[in-house]
Amino acid sequence: SEDWAVVPAGDELVGALLERAPGHVARFDGVAPVTVGVGVEHDALHVHLPMADGRLVGLEELSSDAPHHRANVAAAATIALLAGAELAGVGRAAAAFRPGGHRSELVLVHDGVHWVDDSKATNPHAVRAALGAPVPGGGRTVWVAGGQAKGVDLGALAPAMDGVRHAVLLGEAAQQLRAMTTAAGVPSTVVPEGAEDPMAAAVVAAAAAAQPGDRVLLSPACASFDLFDGYADRGRRFAHAVQALAAGGAVRSAPDTDEGAGR
């Protein structure tokens, strides 16, 4: 009864579970205020807990303005404060934190298009969060996706297609994704099987579809091992192809490296 549950605000499933929870409840939110926990108020994360109350960190100080990033920071801050950390120290940590590579990582901005490497997004839940983040240039998203679906129903991504201008699809799941995007009214390009460099081909197709103000988002929703050595290799090859395209040269394969593998 003296324990704390730290939960996302507004989650119906979690709310149902909390009806049986005997302890205290703190909520976190990356968009709105909360009564108990950490949420957004006046362009900052604010804390309302028995042991701390006040401004935690300005939203402009965070490494990303994506709502899911704010929510992650709010959740971690809530737990740290409940565990006894001081408000000022948690605020400094929140401002200093930078996500690991291939997590909604900006590669570059070229001709008004933001190129973003989110290769770590290997499931639909992560991709929905990435697609829901605001587009920095105010345009729409050209989505690069595909790989090994791992038995997951990729049709669950259909509600996230509203802001997608075009989909560039590759790997084993390309046709499954194409069926979903077509049903959602999103045009697509499928990188042919057996392409010499699938990622280079995907980048060329994405560049052709993107308009100034758009974001090209590599957020695959799939594992990478059908075409790459891991999610890090996939993201590195995406960045290499984008940089080559921006430099005005031919988009060729990136050299092989031993960079860490992963799904």
Side-chain angles (χ1 to χ4, degrees):
S1 62
E2 297 305 311
D3 289 341
W4 283 83
V6 178
V7 303
D11 188 301
E12 294 182 4
L13 176 59
V14 171
L17 292 171
L18 288 176
E19 293 179 4
R20 302 193 300 273
H24 307 288
V25 176
R27 290 178 168 81
F28 60 89
D29 198 299
V31 177
V34 299
T35 303
V36 179
V38 179
V40 175
E41 301 174 31
H42 308 298
D43 295 323
L45 288 177
H46 274 258
V47 178
H48 300 292
L49 290 169
M51 66 291 297
D53 194 280
R55 185 180 188 274
L56 178 73
V57 63
L59 299 182
E60 78 283 355
E61 299 176 68
L62 300 178
S63 62
S64 169
D65 63 354
H68 65 279
H69 179 74
R70 298 176 188 172
N72 287 340
V73 172
T78 304
I79 294 167
L81 292 164
L82 290 170
E86 295 183 355
L87 181 62
V90 175
R92 289 193 298 270
F97 175 75
R98 297 294 181 271
H102 313 295
R103 294 163 172 84
S104 295
E105 183 176 13
L106 179 65
V107 175
L108 54 75
V109 181
H110 179 64
D111 288 343
V113 176
H114 288 69
W115 294 79
V116 178
D117 169 13
D118 193 38
S119 183
K120 186 66 172 67
T122 60
N123 61 75
H125 180 79
V127 173
R128 285 198 301 269
L131 288 172
V135 177
R140 304 185 72 193
T141 296
V142 175
W143 178 41
V144 181
Q148 292 178 322
K150 303 181 290 186
V152 173
D153 177 16
L154 298 175
L157 284 165
M161 293 295 106
D162 286 350
V164 176
R165 180 185 303 283
H166 194 95
V168 179
L169 310 171
L170 66 165
E172 293 178 8
Q175 294 303 326
Q176 183 182 346
L177 285 166
R178 186 172 212 177
M180 183 274 293
T181 55
T182 299
V186 175
S188 63
T189 299
V190 174
V191 175
E193 290 185 24
E196 181 179 355
D197 187 337
M199 187 56 76
V203 164
V204 170
Q211 299 181 14
D214 283 353
R215 164 184 60 180
V216 176
L217 174 69
L218 169 65
S219 195
C222 296
S224 56
F225 293 123
D226 54 336
L227 297 173
F228 307 101
D229 291 337
Y231 76 82
D233 177 52
R234 175 171 58 191
R236 179 182 60 81
R237 291 177 183 275
F238 173 76
H240 176 89
V242 171
Q243 289 158 355
L245 184 75
V251 181
R252 300 190 180 93
S253 300
D256 290 328
T257 73
D258 294 326
E259 185 170 356
R263 284 199 286 173

